[in-house]
Amino acid sequence: MALAFALLVLALTGRNIPTLGAEVWDRTIGSSFGLQSTAIYATPILMDAIAVAIGLRMRLWNIGVEGQFYMGAVAATGVGIHLDLPDPLLLALMALAGAAGGALWILIPAVARAYWNVNEIITTLLLNFVAIYVVRWLSIGPWQDSQAEVVQATPQVNARLPFVPGSYILHVGFFLPLILAAVCFFIFRSSRWGYEVDMVGGNPRAAAFAGINVPRRVLTVMLISGAIAGISGMVHLTGATGRLQQTISNSYGLSGFIVAALAGASFVALVVGGVFIALLLASGIALQGSGLSVYIVLAVYGLALVGIAVGEMASRYRLVRGGAGAGREGERAPP
């Protein structure tokens, strides 16, 4: 419905929808370069979606994946520009640094939510803006590369992820979220830890009564979520951009949140949803050549979120036929 509404608006403004569709096809899935570009966009989107989905399994809304993505990239850059080691070792250290950066960035909201029941939506969201300005300060200040063509950027990191064999822009980091989604699927399907996380999300009081340490589970899940988002920043840094800059994220955190919400925190569904949202983002960037703003993608995101929220609410009710003495148009569906 969001896509249909967006197409209707474009048609009403005089755009030729078939022409735009053909252009999108040629620049995305209709060419090898387009497919690889879409896969590059999909990599951080899927990683951030997994980070959000892990929290959603416990009814925790990590709105700060964008900030954790940035801080993971910051930590990885700090290692990547100051150490000169063999690529495998340096990449491993950068991954650890990225995970630590993302986890530390969510630490305060996690502790506040676990032990003082402070709403994590507000705390994680506000830290996004702080992270963006930290990256801006580093890229034009202490870590600025004075010889870079891009003014607000650091030097190139000393290790990069290799390309997929036969590809010229797609890096092997694309496979990481696919593997991670499969691992998460089996953890939440078959492990005691996954069962306890779902139980806390379903009924925290019942979980506590069953002997589960709820605050510890909340803290653990939020830290894991932040660490995955931080690794997402490291992967995009070493695979796509090669240097830290203010524009390193193309709203990947927001896109990941949309995917996780659209998939209902299902690790199978979010892979499909992540590829779809990446295709939507790539289409928006491709249509900039036709005079359209890439922000139309954000408009579609907003419409999709409204649809998800309305659908979630409507699914809790059912329509009933009014009879004698029935003055209401609908009733709450039985549990």
Side-chain angles (χ1 to χ4, degrees), residues 266-293:
S266 166
F267 295 104
V268 175
L270 69 78
V271 173
V272 179
V275 174
F276 169 73
I277 293 296
L279 181 61
L280 185 62
L281 178 61
S283 301
I285 294 174
L287 289 177
Q288 285 183 289
S290 300
L292 291 176
S293 171

Side-chain angles (χ1 to χ4, degrees), residues 81 223 304:
I81 64 176
L223 290 178

Side-chain angles (χ1 to χ4, degrees), residues 41-264:
Y41 294 136
T43 301
I45 291 175
L46 286 171
M47 289 289 292
D48 289 344
I50 293 171
V52 175
I54 288 176
L56 288 180
R57 301 295 294 235
M58 197 181 276
R59 303 296 188 270
L60 298 173
W61 296 84
N62 181 10
I63 315 295
V65 285
E66 185 87 354
Q68 295 142 29
F69 174 96
Y70 273 107
M71 296 311 294
V74 166
T77 300
V79 173
I81 64 176
H82 292 110
L83 295 180
D84 189 8
L85 300 170
D87 283 3
L89 178 58
L90 185 55
L91 286 171
L93 292 176
M94 292 174 70
L96 291 175
L104 287 174
W105 202 245
I106 202 177
L107 178 60
I108 293 177
V111 171
R113 176 64 175 83
Y115 295 102
W116 300 302
N117 203 29
V118 176
N119 192 307
E120 74 280 359
I121 295 177
I122 303 299
T123 52
T124 55
L125 175 63
L126 293 179
L127 283 175
N128 285 340
F129 304 101
V130 180
I132 291 171
Y133 280 102
V134 168
V135 170
R136 181 178 181 182
W137 171 66
L138 289 172
S139 58
I140 64 175
W143 292 354
Q144 183 181 15
D145 184 1
S146 58
Q147 299 181 354
E149 296 180 1
V150 182
V151 176
Q152 297 182 358
T154 66
Q156 289 272 354
V157 293
N158 294 324
R160 300 290 299 274
L161 289 173
F163 291 136
V164 174
S167 169
Y168 45 90
I169 61 172
L170 180 61
H171 55 83
V172 297
F174 170 72
F175 299 105
L176 179 59
L178 304 179
I179 296 171
L180 188 58
V183 171
C184 289
F185 172 78
F186 285 107
I187 286 177
F188 281 94
R189 181 184 178 91
S190 306
S191 73
R192 176 179 176 179
W193 185 85
Y195 172 77
E196 290 181 352
V197 168
D198 285 340
M199 187 175 181
V200 173
N203 193 325
R205 291 185 179 181
F209 183 78
I212 299 174
N213 190 325
V214 175
R216 182 181 298 176
R217 286 290 179 269
V218 170
L219 184 63
T220 302
V221 165
M222 292 189 71
L223 290 178
I224 291 174
S225 177
I228 292 175
I231 294 175
S232 174
M234 174 269 172
V235 169
H236 191 64
L237 170 76
T238 56
T241 65
R243 64 175 78 235
L244 182 68
Q245 54 195 28
Q246 190 175 359
T247 57
I248 190 174
S249 175
N250 204 337
S251 299
Y252 295 131
L254 174 61
S255 301
F257 180 81
I258 298 290
V259 170
L262 188 65

